[in-house]
Amino acid sequence: MSAHPVRKVSSLEELQQLAELLDIVYYEVSGRRSDGFDQPRDDAEEGVGDDRADIQLMQRMEGNRLSVRTRAMVVTSEGRMIADVAAVFRTPEPVSIPAAIAKRFAAVIATPVTRPYVREAIHQSAVKLGISAPLLSVLDLEEVGLLPTVTERKPLP
């Protein structure tokens, strides 16, 4: 049995051409109202005075599958909502992806895929709980490098 060398991806563009979106997977969707029960707070909620959204981006490569997860926990004065959603991509063959390229793929390609699912899950959890639905910001395309940063603005003629 001969072992074939694993193809090493050399750029974000190459990975983008190879990777095909295979599935969207929900790992967690939950919500809890803050009022109505005398329960101790979770450690993650200690000292919370302001509304906040904590968003994590995780990735895993196994064989020819690359999963990129976006997990958001939104805490408001009315409750807490969590959405954990993954975009699963498949390559035609197993590949080796340098960490920098995988990180960039997660930020530039996968996050725009998962973000609407996360936003919808957070919104629907709040609606079902009967609390104000927090709005997660739209993905900043300049921040992830999809749009050039404007350094100088000139008036139109």
Side-chain angles (χ1 to χ4, degrees):
M1 182 174 192
S2 64
H4 297 296
V6 175
R7 177 178 178 176
K8 184 173 182 176
V9 174
S10 61
S11 69
L12 174 62
E13 293 75 20
E14 181 183 5
L15 182 56
Q16 183 179 5
Q17 291 298 315
L18 289 172
E20 170 191 9
L21 181 62
L22 183 63
D23 199 3
I24 299 294
V25 177
Y26 285 85
Y27 287 95
E28 180 180 2
V29 175
S30 65
R32 183 177 67 207
R33 289 178 67 109
S34 296
D35 67 340
F37 298 95
D38 234 1
Q39 296 178 350
R41 292 175 164 263
D42 291 344
D43 290 340
E45 296 179 35
E46 287 298 322
V48 173
D50 295 327
D51 296 351
R52 73 175 197 284
D54 297 320
I55 299 176
Q56 295 176 304
L57 193 59
M58 300 163 272
Q59 59 202 18
R60 180 197 322 210
M61 183 77 193
E62 289 185 51
N64 69 335
R65 292 187 184 213
L66 172 61
S67 296
V68 179
R69 288 172 65 175
T70 304
R71 183 179 195 279
M73 180 173 71
V74 179
V75 179
T76 71
S77 60
E78 295 180 274
R80 182 191 77 186
M81 287 73 52
I82 296 174
D84 188 348
V85 181
V88 181
F89 296 87
R90 174 178 57 197
T91 57
E93 60 189 334
V95 294
S96 170
I97 306 170
I101 293 173
K103 184 176 180 181
R104 190 81 178 130
F105 181 86
V108 174
I109 307 300
T111 298
V113 172
T114 60
R115 186 86 170 199
Y117 293 93
V118 169
R119 291 175 74 200
E120 185 272 339
I122 296 291
H123 183 87
Q124 287 301 313
S125 291
V127 168
K128 288 177 182 177
L129 293 172
I131 63 176
S132 299
L135 295 176
L136 295 179
S137 65
V138 174
L139 187 63
D140 184 349
L141 298 179
E142 284 184 3
E143 186 177 302
V144 295
L146 292 177
L147 294 178
T149 304
V150 177
T151 55
E152 182 180 327
R153 296 180 188 223
K154 295 180 182 177
L156 294 173

PDB file of all heavy atoms in Angstrom, residues 105-127:
ATOM      1  N   PHE A 105      -9.243  31.744   6.169  1.00  0.00           N
ATOM      2  CA  PHE A 105     -10.413  31.111   5.565  1.00  0.00           C
ATOM      3  C   PHE A 105     -11.603  31.207   6.522  1.00  0.00           C
ATOM      4  O   PHE A 105     -12.718  31.533   6.115  1.00  0.00           O
ATOM      5  CB  PHE A 105     -10.116  29.647   5.230  1.00  0.00           C
ATOM      6  CG  PHE A 105     -11.265  28.930   4.585  1.00  0.00           C
ATOM      7  CD1 PHE A 105     -11.460  28.988   3.213  1.00  0.00           C
ATOM      8  CD2 PHE A 105     -12.159  28.191   5.351  1.00  0.00           C
ATOM      9  CE1 PHE A 105     -12.531  28.331   2.612  1.00  0.00           C
ATOM     10  CE2 PHE A 105     -13.221  27.521   4.757  1.00  0.00           C
ATOM     11  CZ  PHE A 105     -13.405  27.599   3.376  1.00  0.00           C
ATOM     12  N   ALA A 106     -11.345  30.935   7.796  1.00  0.00           N
ATOM     13  CA  ALA A 106     -12.411  31.010   8.799  1.00  0.00           C
ATOM     14  C   ALA A 106     -12.990  32.418   8.866  1.00  0.00           C
ATOM     15  O   ALA A 106     -14.209  32.599   8.900  1.00  0.00           O
ATOM     16  CB  ALA A 106     -11.881  30.574  10.159  1.00  0.00           C
ATOM     17  N   ALA A 107     -12.119  33.422   8.866  1.00  0.00           N
ATOM     18  CA  ALA A 107     -12.576  34.809   9.003  1.00  0.00           C
ATOM     19  C   ALA A 107     -13.240  35.344   7.744  1.00  0.00           C
ATOM     20  O   ALA A 107     -14.269  36.012   7.810  1.00  0.00           O
ATOM     21  CB  ALA A 107     -11.395  35.701   9.388  1.00  0.00           C
ATOM     22  N   VAL A 108     -12.667  35.046   6.583  1.00  0.00           N
ATOM     23  CA  VAL A 108     -13.115  35.665   5.336  1.00  0.00           C
ATOM     24  C   VAL A 108     -14.193  34.856   4.612  1.00  0.00           C
ATOM     25  O   VAL A 108     -15.123  35.422   4.052  1.00  0.00           O
ATOM     26  CB  VAL A 108     -11.902  35.897   4.399  1.00  0.00           C
ATOM     27  CG1 VAL A 108     -12.331  36.390   3.036  1.00  0.00           C
ATOM     28  CG2 VAL A 108     -10.929  36.868   5.038  1.00  0.00           C
ATOM     29  N   ILE A 109     -14.084  33.536   4.629  1.00  0.00           N
ATOM     30  CA  ILE A 109     -15.006  32.699   3.864  1.00  0.00           C
ATOM     31  C   ILE A 109     -16.102  32.108   4.749  1.00  0.00           C
ATOM     32  O   ILE A 109     -17.285  32.208   4.449  1.00  0.00           O
ATOM     33  CB  ILE A 109     -14.258  31.551   3.145  1.00  0.00           C
ATOM     34  CG1 ILE A 109     -13.094  32.086   2.303  1.00  0.00           C
ATOM     35  CG2 ILE A 109     -15.215  30.700   2.324  1.00  0.00           C
ATOM     36  CD1 ILE A 109     -13.465  33.043   1.212  1.00  0.00           C
ATOM     37  N   ALA A 110     -15.725  31.471   5.842  1.00  0.00           N
ATOM     38  CA  ALA A 110     -16.694  30.727   6.646  1.00  0.00           C
ATOM     39  C   ALA A 110     -17.571  31.615   7.526  1.00  0.00           C
ATOM     40  O   ALA A 110     -18.762  31.335   7.691  1.00  0.00           O
ATOM     41  CB  ALA A 110     -15.981  29.685   7.501  1.00  0.00           C
ATOM     42  N   THR A 111     -17.021  32.652   8.105  1.00  0.00           N
ATOM     43  CA  THR A 111     -17.813  33.509   8.984  1.00  0.00           C
ATOM     44  C   THR A 111     -19.008  34.143   8.259  1.00  0.00           C
ATOM     45  O   THR A 111     -20.108  34.144   8.802  1.00  0.00           O
ATOM     46  CB  THR A 111     -16.940  34.580   9.659  1.00  0.00           C
ATOM     47  OG1 THR A 111     -15.971  33.910  10.460  1.00  0.00           O
ATOM     48  CG2 THR A 111     -17.752  35.505  10.535  1.00  0.00           C
ATOM     49  N   PRO A 112     -18.844  34.642   7.035  1.00  0.00           N
ATOM     50  CA  PRO A 112     -20.032  35.147   6.336  1.00  0.00           C
ATOM     51  C   PRO A 112     -21.083  34.065   6.064  1.00  0.00           C
ATOM     52  O   PRO A 112     -22.250  34.377   5.884  1.00  0.00           O
ATOM     53  CB  PRO A 112     -19.468  35.702   5.020  1.00  0.00           C
ATOM     54  CG  PRO A 112     -18.055  36.056   5.351  1.00  0.00           C
ATOM     55  CD  PRO A 112     -17.602  34.993   6.319  1.00  0.00           C
ATOM     56  N   VAL A 113     -20.676  32.803   6.068  1.00  0.00           N
ATOM     57  CA  VAL A 113     -21.637  31.709   5.894  1.00  0.00           C
ATOM     58  C   VAL A 113     -22.390  31.457   7.199  1.00  0.00           C
ATOM     59  O   VAL A 113     -23.617  31.335   7.207  1.00  0.00           O
ATOM     60  CB  VAL A 113     -20.922  30.416   5.423  1.00  0.00           C
ATOM     61  CG1 VAL A 113     -21.881  29.229   5.435  1.00  0.00           C
ATOM     62  CG2 VAL A 113     -20.323  30.610   4.036  1.00  0.00           C
ATOM     63  N   THR A 114     -21.680  31.385   8.325  1.00  0.00           N
ATOM     64  CA  THR A 114     -22.318  31.043   9.601  1.00  0.00           C
ATOM     65  C   THR A 114     -23.041  32.218  10.247  1.00  0.00           C
ATOM     66  O   THR A 114     -24.010  32.017  10.980  1.00  0.00           O
ATOM     67  CB  THR A 114     -21.296  30.486  10.612  1.00  0.00           C
ATOM     68  OG1 THR A 114     -20.280  31.469  10.856  1.00  0.00           O
ATOM     69  CG2 THR A 114     -20.684  29.194  10.128  1.00  0.00           C
ATOM     70  N   ARG A 115     -22.585  33.411  10.009  1.00  0.00           N
ATOM     71  CA  ARG A 115     -23.120  34.591  10.704  1.00  0.00           C
ATOM     72  C   ARG A 115     -24.640  34.736  10.608  1.00  0.00           C
ATOM     73  O   ARG A 115     -25.295  34.989  11.627  1.00  0.00           O
ATOM     74  CB  ARG A 115     -22.412  35.845  10.189  1.00  0.00           C
ATOM     75  CG  ARG A 115     -22.749  37.113  10.913  1.00  0.00           C
ATOM     76  CD  ARG A 115     -21.894  37.286  12.109  1.00  0.00           C
ATOM     77  NE  ARG A 115     -22.075  38.617  12.655  1.00  0.00           N
ATOM     78  CZ  ARG A 115     -21.242  39.189  13.459  1.00  0.00           C
ATOM     79  NH1 ARG A 115     -20.147  38.569  13.799  1.00  0.00           N
ATOM     80  NH2 ARG A 115     -21.468  40.370  13.927  1.00  0.00           N
ATOM     81  N   PRO A 116     -25.259  34.583   9.429  1.00  0.00           N
ATOM     82  CA  PRO A 116     -26.727  34.719   9.378  1.00  0.00           C
ATOM     83  C   PRO A 116     -27.453  33.661  10.218  1.00  0.00           C
ATOM     84  O   PRO A 116     -28.495  33.953  10.810  1.00  0.00           O
ATOM     85  CB  PRO A 116     -27.063  34.544   7.893  1.00  0.00           C
ATOM     86  CG  PRO A 116     -25.792  34.809   7.170  1.00  0.00           C
ATOM     87  CD  PRO A 116     -24.680  34.420   8.096  1.00  0.00           C
ATOM     88  N   TYR A 117     -26.915  32.453  10.288  1.00  0.00           N
ATOM     89  CA  TYR A 117     -27.533  31.399  11.093  1.00  0.00           C
ATOM     90  C   TYR A 117     -27.435  31.732  12.582  1.00  0.00           C
ATOM     91  O   TYR A 117     -28.372  31.517  13.341  1.00  0.00           O
ATOM     92  CB  TYR A 117     -26.871  30.045  10.802  1.00  0.00           C
ATOM     93  CG  TYR A 117     -27.127  29.562   9.400  1.00  0.00           C
ATOM     94  CD1 TYR A 117     -26.227  29.836   8.379  1.00  0.00           C
ATOM     95  CD2 TYR A 117     -28.274  28.827   9.101  1.00  0.00           C
ATOM     96  CE1 TYR A 117     -26.462  29.390   7.083  1.00  0.00           C
ATOM     97  CE2 TYR A 117     -28.512  28.379   7.811  1.00  0.00           C
ATOM     98  CZ  TYR A 117     -27.602  28.670   6.803  1.00  0.00           C
ATOM     99  OH  TYR A 117     -27.838  28.233   5.523  1.00  0.00           O
ATOM    100  N   VAL A 118     -26.288  32.255  12.990  1.00  0.00           N
ATOM    101  CA  VAL A 118     -26.101  32.651  14.387  1.00  0.00           C
ATOM    102  C   VAL A 118     -27.051  33.795  14.735  1.00  0.00           C
ATOM    103  O   VAL A 118     -27.724  33.752  15.767  1.00  0.00           O
ATOM    104  CB  VAL A 118     -24.628  33.052  14.649  1.00  0.00           C
ATOM    105  CG1 VAL A 118     -24.470  33.727  16.001  1.00  0.00           C
ATOM    106  CG2 VAL A 118     -23.720  31.841  14.536  1.00  0.00           C
ATOM    107  N   ARG A 119     -27.118  34.791  13.875  1.00  0.00           N
ATOM    108  CA  ARG A 119     -27.993  35.940  14.124  1.00  0.00           C
ATOM    109  C   ARG A 119     -29.448  35.505  14.229  1.00  0.00           C
ATOM    110  O   ARG A 119     -30.182  35.950  15.113  1.00  0.00           O
ATOM    111  CB  ARG A 119     -27.836  36.988  13.018  1.00  0.00           C
ATOM    112  CG  ARG A 119     -26.474  37.670  13.046  1.00  0.00           C
ATOM    113  CD  ARG A 119     -26.280  38.604  11.893  1.00  0.00           C
ATOM    114  NE  ARG A 119     -27.069  39.798  12.124  1.00  0.00           N
ATOM    115  CZ  ARG A 119     -27.432  40.635  11.172  1.00  0.00           C
ATOM    116  NH1 ARG A 119     -27.101  40.411   9.928  1.00  0.00           N
ATOM    117  NH2 ARG A 119     -28.134  41.692  11.461  1.00  0.00           N
ATOM    118  N   GLU A 120     -29.884  34.628  13.330  1.00  0.00           N
ATOM    119  CA  GLU A 120     -31.269  34.163  13.343  1.00  0.00           C
ATOM    120  C   GLU A 120     -31.561  33.359  14.610  1.00  0.00           C
ATOM    121  O   GLU A 120     -32.622  33.522  15.220  1.00  0.00           O
ATOM    122  CB  GLU A 120     -31.530  33.308  12.084  1.00  0.00           C
ATOM    123  CG  GLU A 120     -32.974  32.853  11.924  1.00  0.00           C
ATOM    124  CD  GLU A 120     -33.282  31.549  12.635  1.00  0.00           C
ATOM    125  OE1 GLU A 120     -32.350  30.771  12.936  1.00  0.00           O
ATOM    126  OE2 GLU A 120     -34.467  31.306  12.918  1.00  0.00           O
ATOM    127  N   ALA A 121     -30.651  32.500  15.034  1.00  0.00           N
ATOM    128  CA  ALA A 121     -30.864  31.684  16.233  1.00  0.00           C
ATOM    129  C   ALA A 121     -30.957  32.559  17.483  1.00  0.00           C
ATOM    130  O   ALA A 121     -31.812  32.324  18.350  1.00  0.00           O
ATOM    131  CB  ALA A 121     -29.745  30.650  16.382  1.00  0.00           C
ATOM    132  N   ILE A 122     -30.108  33.557  17.596  1.00  0.00           N
ATOM    133  CA  ILE A 122     -30.152  34.486  18.736  1.00  0.00           C
ATOM    134  C   ILE A 122     -31.479  35.235  18.732  1.00  0.00           C
ATOM    135  O   ILE A 122     -32.161  35.342  19.755  1.00  0.00           O
ATOM    136  CB  ILE A 122     -28.960  35.476  18.700  1.00  0.00           C
ATOM    137  CG1 ILE A 122     -27.619  34.755  18.866  1.00  0.00           C
ATOM    138  CG2 ILE A 122     -29.140  36.603  19.710  1.00  0.00           C
ATOM    139  CD1 ILE A 122     -27.358  34.172  20.229  1.00  0.00           C
ATOM    140  N   HIS A 123     -31.855  35.737  17.584  1.00  0.00           N
ATOM    141  CA  HIS A 123     -33.100  36.499  17.461  1.00  0.00           C
ATOM    142  C   HIS A 123     -34.315  35.636  17.818  1.00  0.00           C
ATOM    143  O   HIS A 123     -35.173  36.055  18.604  1.00  0.00           O
ATOM    144  CB  HIS A 123     -33.228  37.042  16.033  1.00  0.00           C
ATOM    145  CG  HIS A 123     -34.426  37.894  15.828  1.00  0.00           C
ATOM    146  ND1 HIS A 123     -34.423  39.247  16.083  1.00  0.00           N
ATOM    147  CD2 HIS A 123     -35.684  37.597  15.408  1.00  0.00           C
ATOM    148  CE1 HIS A 123     -35.622  39.744  15.833  1.00  0.00           C
ATOM    149  NE2 HIS A 123     -36.399  38.760  15.417  1.00  0.00           N
ATOM    150  N   GLN A 124     -34.380  34.432  17.265  1.00  0.00           N
ATOM    151  CA  GLN A 124     -35.523  33.554  17.522  1.00  0.00           C
ATOM    152  C   GLN A 124     -35.591  33.111  18.983  1.00  0.00           C
ATOM    153  O   GLN A 124     -36.681  32.982  19.535  1.00  0.00           O
ATOM    154  CB  GLN A 124     -35.487  32.332  16.601  1.00  0.00           C
ATOM    155  CG  GLN A 124     -35.848  32.663  15.165  1.00  0.00           C
ATOM    156  CD  GLN A 124     -37.245  33.272  15.058  1.00  0.00           C
ATOM    157  OE1 GLN A 124     -38.207  32.775  15.622  1.00  0.00           O
ATOM    158  NE2 GLN A 124     -37.347  34.377  14.338  1.00  0.00           N
ATOM    159  N   SER A 125     -34.444  32.887  19.611  1.00  0.00           N
ATOM    160  CA  SER A 125     -34.446  32.526  21.034  1.00  0.00           C
ATOM    161  C   SER A 125     -35.059  33.652  21.862  1.00  0.00           C
ATOM    162  O   SER A 125     -35.881  33.407  22.751  1.00  0.00           O
ATOM    163  CB  SER A 125     -33.023  32.229  21.527  1.00  0.00           C
ATOM    164  OG  SER A 125     -32.538  31.045  20.948  1.00  0.00           O
ATOM    165  N   ALA A 126     -34.665  34.878  21.575  1.00  0.00           N
ATOM    166  CA  ALA A 126     -35.206  36.026  22.310  1.00  0.00           C
ATOM    167  C   ALA A 126     -36.708  36.160  22.083  1.00  0.00           C
ATOM    168  O   ALA A 126     -37.470  36.386  23.032  1.00  0.00           O
ATOM    169  CB  ALA A 126     -34.479  37.305  21.897  1.00  0.00           C
ATOM    170  N   VAL A 127     -37.145  36.002  20.848  1.00  0.00           N
ATOM    171  CA  VAL A 127     -38.572  36.102  20.540  1.00  0.00           C
ATOM    172  C   VAL A 127     -39.351  35.041  21.311  1.00  0.00           C
ATOM    173  O   VAL A 127     -40.391  35.323  21.910  1.00  0.00           O
ATOM    174  CB  VAL A 127     -38.817  35.983  19.015  1.00  0.00           C
ATOM    175  CG1 VAL A 127     -40.289  35.793  18.699  1.00  0.00           C
ATOM    176  CG2 VAL A 127     -38.265  37.208  18.288  1.00  0.00           C
TER     177      VAL A 127
END
